[in-house]
Amino acid sequence: MDFSAILTSALSGALGPVAAAYALAAIGLNLHFGYTGLLNFGQVGFMLVGGYGVAISVSVFAAPLWLGVIVGVLCAIVLALLLGVPTLRLRADYLAIATIAAGEILRLFYRSSFAEPLTGGVFGLQQFANDFYDLNPYPPGTYGFGPISFGARDMWVITMGWSLVALAALLLYLLVHSPWGRVIRSIREDENAALSLGKNVYSYKLQSLVLGGVIGAFGGMVMVINTQSASADSFDPLVTFFLYTLLILGGAGRVLGPVIGSVIFWFIVVLLDNLLRQAIASGVIPANILSDSEVGAVRFALVGLGLLLLMVFRPQGILGRKEEMVLDAR
């Protein structure tokens, strides 16, 4: 087996546009879960409406890409308000139920034949980000360092994706170290104590849900712009749980936790995928034990096993603290 090629591919995956999109969405989830204590199990729904906001605006209504981005942001705000207004006055599990249901309802609606004139149904929408690629400052060629290299197109998406991650992380850092951030952290620790100090807990929770949802929508935009394809089936509920995995891996309640977690998560996923496929091809793993079609399921099973071990031996993640995992979820 070519271990150097496997390692190079894994490093490329860890630094690629998909990792940037997941890091961006996880930063929004970190604001919800890590700092405010909101149990949002539907972050993928915010990614979906953000991505489709861009795709539908450009493909169906021939709007410029920048307007599509604004539409995606507005869709995320509306979704956060629809979910948060009726549930945030209630116990934490009501928001969890509402968000996970909303994410799946949106996916099924966007892929339905009823919505096909707008969303493309099961086929989705394609080739709507040409304006973005027309701005590509990188001349044709390959770019990178050492054995890692990317084409000019991928390099442009990577540059924009990780720049958005840096801006979102900086915004989160400024927010959580402001008076507003101290209030939302107090809500996570003890909601009743915040109420006793005269804080409008409901309002702060709603603000956090909206802001984290908008950041998640930008993650969805990066995802669809990278592939030039918006397909509802790319936003299944597993995406949210991958976001929780990398958030816990990096450390909830830490500004750089989602970023470190995304890089490590995608490094491990791509490494396992290539390692297993090369092991099958070279005969190290017999085909009657594991086939190529089963590799995808096995790699995520191994990642899940790793997450279980992490939760047993270091539940706070790489950068986190144990107390960040304790929520006043009532």
Side-chain angles (χ1 to χ4, degrees):
M1 292 190 293
D2 188 351
F3 290 104
S4 63
I6 293 173
L7 185 60
T8 299
S9 178
L11 288 171
S12 298
L15 300 175
V18 175
Y22 272 71
L24 200 53
I27 288 172
L29 186 61
N30 193 27
L31 179 59
H32 292 162
F33 174 73
Y35 286 104
T36 318
L38 300 178
L39 295 178
N40 171 19
F41 289 132
Q43 185 72 343
V44 69
F46 292 102
M47 297 175 70
L48 185 150
V49 297
Y52 266 100
V54 171
I56 293 174
S57 298
V58 177
S59 297
V60 179
F61 297 103
L65 187 64
W66 63 266
L67 183 57
V69 171
I70 295 175
V71 170
V73 169
L74 293 176
C75 288
I77 293 172
V78 170
L79 177 61
L81 293 175
L82 289 174
L83 292 174
V85 169
T87 62
L88 290 178
R89 294 187 188 276
L90 306 174
R91 289 191 328 226
D93 50 354
Y94 285 93
L95 177 65
I97 294 167
T99 51
I100 194 171
E104 187 63 1
I105 290 169
L106 285 169
R107 184 184 73 84
L108 294 174
F109 173 76
Y110 273 71
R111 76 186 304 274
S112 67
S113 57
F114 174 79
E116 187 170 350
L118 276 180
T119 66
V122 295
F123 303 104
L125 301 170
Q126 289 81 34
Q127 301 301 315
F128 46 79
N130 292 328
D131 289 350
F132 172 79
Y133 290 105
D134 288 342
L135 298 174
N136 189 352
Y138 295 100
T142 57
Y143 301 85
F145 52 92
I148 304 172
S149 63
F150 298 97
R153 178 190 180 281
D154 288 339
M155 196 65 191
W156 177 224
V157 184
I158 289 169
T159 301
M160 291 301 297
W162 286 109
S163 295
L164 287 173
V165 169
L167 288 173
L170 176 62
L171 174 63
L172 185 62
Y173 175 84
L174 295 174
L175 284 173
V176 300
H177 288 87
S178 69
W180 183 87
R182 288 190 285 274
V183 172
I184 65 167
R185 281 185 289 177
S186 71
I187 292 171
R188 179 198 63 200
E189 298 297 336
D190 192 332
E191 183 176 321
N192 290 329
L195 280 169
S196 69
L197 294 173
K199 301 301 181 182
N200 188 337
V201 169
Y202 171 74
S203 176
Y204 277 95
K205 282 183 174 181
L206 192 58
Q207 293 169 37
S208 175
L209 185 65
V210 169
L211 184 56
V214 169
I215 296 174
F218 275 103
M221 294 177 202
V222 172
M223 186 179 292
V224 300
I225 287 174
N226 173 50
T227 59
Q228 282 255 54
S229 173
S231 171
D233 288 333
S234 299
F235 299 97
D236 61 40
L238 283 175
V239 174
T240 295
F241 294 100
F242 292 161
L243 294 175
Y244 268 104
T245 299
L246 63 89
L247 177 59
I248 294 170
L249 175 62
R254 285 288 178 268
V255 172
L256 293 180
V259 181
I260 300 298
S262 183
V263 170
I264 295 175
F265 176 81
W266 284 106
F267 175 84
I268 294 172
V269 168
V270 177
L271 179 72
L272 288 174
D273 186 87
N274 284 279
L275 190 62
L276 290 172
R277 292 187 190 281
Q278 287 212 20
I280 294 170
S282 61
V284 175
I285 300 178
N288 61 342
I289 294 179
L290 182 66
S291 65
D292 276 343
S293 61
E294 298 169 329
V295 167
V298 170
R299 67 176 182 176
F300 284 121
L302 292 174
V303 170
L305 177 61
L307 181 62
L308 286 175
L309 295 174
L310 181 71
M311 292 301 293
V312 170
F313 296 106
R314 190 173 174 81
Q316 68 269 36
I318 295 172
L319 300 179
R321 297 181 300 176
K322 279 189 177 182
E323 54 266 32
E324 304 291 353
M325 300 297 294
V326 179
L327 303 178
D328 181 40
R330 289 176 289 182

